[in-house]
Amino acid sequence: MDKKNFLVEGEDTLLSFLLAHVAGKSRNSVKSMLTRGQVQVEGRTVTRHDHPLAPGQTVTLLPQGAGDGKAPFPVLYEDGRILVIDKPAGLLSMASDREKVRTAYRMATDYVRKSDPRRRIFIVHRLDRDTSGVLLFAKDEETKRAYQDNWDRLVTRRGYLAVVEGKPSRESDTVRTLLRENAAHKVYSVRSGGKEAVTHYTTLRAGKEYTLLEVDIATGRKNQIRAHLSELGCPVAGDKDYGAAADPLGRLCLHAHVLELADPFTGEPRTFRAPEPKGFRSLASGKAEGGDRR
């Protein structure tokens, strides 16, 4: 569907107007378009069904996933409520005491303000600085709360790709431990007093030095994948904090490649995928392509 503009000729409410002008869509479909933020009035996203319309206004219907392609990072999906990006490795999700400017949050804010200087971005979840991949932001506080307050219920899968040194003793397995963070901010497994962390992994490709794993997490503890794989004797390549011997691609070889969850307003299942970084697969085959920091 292409972007469509409709001129308001008389007083009306938004849902009533859309039902009269959008052909081939059921009432529920039109409501879903509103909920997803695909409808703008005078260039501003509106989601209320009863929003009043006045003669001379323009109502715009955006295609699902519309974006202007001018972001400083790959945009995986965008509508009036959310922005989903492929975060580069080495970029903080949000500001820290040491870095307040060069963050995914700041760059995403600058991006949405190109079309409207009043727009804001809200953090929904985070990725570690050195982990690349799928990162979701909300465009309004209501959406942020809807995702964050129901995150564990909404999310059905958080999948990662990891290139590790060596090869796990089992082709696939589940690691379940209690994790604790020490004063140096390093996470490690303990017998008691920690938070439960569950990590599932499956071997995708194994070479002589490195193995490519598909990793799914059932819990979202800080650095849990890095800690669990290191404790298996297979640290993530490039992860010197957790025992890696080398840095073959000039980055931590951990990538959040899929996020599956339900839309908190419609219940619609959503899947966002970030392409596998260059060099991951070839490294696990013994044919490394260096220098990739995506």
Side-chain angles (χ1 to χ4, degrees), residues 124-183:
V124 173
H125 68 119
R126 307 178 196 179
L127 292 176
D128 293 341
R129 177 201 289 267
D130 295 319
T131 301
S132 58
V134 180
L135 185 62
L136 183 152
F137 294 99
K139 289 186 172 181
D140 59 73
E141 200 159 4
E142 178 190 17
T143 302
K144 172 198 170 183
R145 288 198 303 269
Y147 276 104
Q148 286 190 335
D149 292 351
N150 301 283
W151 187 252
D152 290 340
R153 178 179 62 83
L154 295 173
V155 175
T156 55
R157 185 183 179 200
R158 292 182 71 177
Y160 292 73
L161 295 173
V163 180
V164 300
E165 295 185 348
K167 181 180 179 181
S169 58
R170 296 182 179 181
E171 289 277 319
S172 61
D173 203 357
T174 295
V175 182
R176 186 188 303 269
T177 73
L178 300 177
L179 292 181
R180 177 187 294 169
E181 184 177 1
N182 64 20

Side-chain angles (χ1 to χ4, degrees), residues 7 34 43 46 88 110 120 129 151 171-172 183 209 212 268:
L7 180 66
L34 277 166
V46 177
D110 291 343
R120 296 180 64 190
R129 177 201 289 267
W151 187 252
E171 289 277 319
S172 61
E209 297 182 68
L212 177 63
E268 175 187 1

Side-chain angles (χ1 to χ4, degrees), residues 26-165:
S26 69
R27 183 183 184 89
N28 285 340
S29 295
V30 173
K31 285 183 175 180
S32 292
M33 289 178 182
L34 277 166
T35 302
R36 286 195 297 262
Q38 288 179 248
V39 181
Q40 295 180 337
V41 178
E42 295 295 291
R44 299 208 62 185
T45 301
V46 177
T47 58
R48 282 180 48 196
H49 297 181
D50 60 350
H51 180 83
L53 299 177
Q57 290 184 318
T58 298
V59 174
T60 302
L61 189 60
L62 301 173
Q64 189 171 348
D68 67 8
K70 298 178 182 178
F73 34 61
V75 173
L76 302 175
Y77 178 84
E78 183 180 3
D79 62 25
R81 284 194 179 272
I82 62 174
L83 171 68
V84 186
I85 72 168
D86 184 356
K87 186 188 80 68
L91 185 68
L92 281 170
S93 294
M94 60 183 295
S96 68
D97 291 339
R98 294 183 178 181
E99 178 59 72
K100 299 186 182 298
V101 177
R102 191 179 180 275
T103 67
Y105 169 78
R106 175 62 66 87
M107 294 166 71
T109 299
D110 291 343
Y111 164 66
V112 299
R113 285 180 175 172
K114 289 179 181 178
S115 57
D116 184 348
R118 296 166 293 183
R119 293 305 298 262
R120 296 180 64 190
I121 282 289
F122 298 83
I123 296 284
V124 173
H125 68 119
R126 307 178 196 179
L127 292 176
D128 293 341
R129 177 201 289 267
D130 295 319
T131 301
S132 58
V134 180
L135 185 62
L136 183 152
F137 294 99
K139 289 186 172 181
D140 59 73
E141 200 159 4
E142 178 190 17
T143 302
K144 172 198 170 183
R145 288 198 303 269
Y147 276 104
Q148 286 190 335
D149 292 351
N150 301 283
W151 187 252
D152 290 340
R153 178 179 62 83
L154 295 173
V155 175
T156 55
R157 185 183 179 200
R158 292 182 71 177
Y160 292 73
L161 295 173
V163 180
V164 300
E165 295 185 348

